Amino acid sequence: MRKRTTAASKRQQKQRNSAVRNVIIVVLAVSLIAVLYVRTVLGRRSLDEVTLCPASPDSITVLLVDVTDPMTLPQKQDFRNQLDRLISEIPRYGKLVITKVDPVSDRLLTPIVTRCNPGTGSDTNELVGNKKKLEKLHQEQFIAPLQDAYDRILSASDASRSPILESIQSINLTELASDQSAGIRKRLIVASDLLQNTDDLSFYKHIPEPASILKNQAFSRVRTDLRGVDVDLWMLQRGDSSNSQPRDLPDLWSAIIDTQGGRIMRVYTVSG
């Protein structure tokens, strides 16, 4: 009789233990779902319908393109490679602005395209979000418009002037020095032959010494505050590059960027 009672007690104890384990598993599962839901809801931001940008993006990258002269076929392909790589590097809620070098007179530069990365399908969970919807948004409203801008970026202006410094000043004032950029990563990429050419300041006939440029009154009018901005130079080589683009040209630009508070992170010579 005692054996039967002991066996029954053991069965009851096992059932109780099993019930407790099941309750714990359910509680943990519910807690996990709740945590995922809260994280997703709190991490979700209201985005602009066109640009997909939140009120305050997490980073700002500006690509400034100078195509006074047409690119060669290899340059176009390498530029496309670099552009695709750049687009893939923009983090979720990061902002990418693409604009072209243009004279600045009675108005500041208007970007060709502005988009923020809304995130990809991997940035959400099926329990609390729609992976397919987010991936579609990323592809159709972030990637596609930036890639579609490629032809507009590369159309040569055939302009007689190349106001690179004026364009940097303009886009810095409207994008990189704006209130929404405070405290976040800021990056400026200049794709150009780096030959500034205006009536007041030109690198065409010869490359001036950095000291003479920095003391020039014309430079004082186009300089801008680049503190906190990381700068990349994508140098487009000209057909006469051995004469017009000597090795000290990137050094001149390094001095120009440095005196304005920016940091040259990379100088890349576009193939071709």
Side-chain angles (χ1 to χ4, degrees), residues 133-149:
K133 184 178 179 179
L134 183 56
E135 187 63 37
K136 182 179 181 181
L137 182 70
H138 179 266
Q139 291 296 327
E140 295 183 358
Q141 296 189 46
F142 175 66
I143 299 291
L146 293 171
Q147 291 181 338
D148 289 345

Side-chain angles (χ1 to χ4, degrees), residues 50-51 53 61-63 83 87 95-100 110-116 141-150 152-153 171 175:
V50 176
T51 66
C53 290
T61 300
V62 174
L63 173 60
L83 176 60
I87 293 172
K95 182 178 182 180
L96 175 58
V97 179
I98 300 178
T99 191
K100 292 175 68 172
T110 301
I112 292 175
V113 62
T114 298
R115 285 293 186 278
C116 287
Q141 296 189 46
F142 175 66
I143 299 291
L146 293 171
Q147 291 181 338
D148 289 345
Y150 174 75
R152 284 183 289 160
I153 296 169
I171 203 67
E175 296 292 344

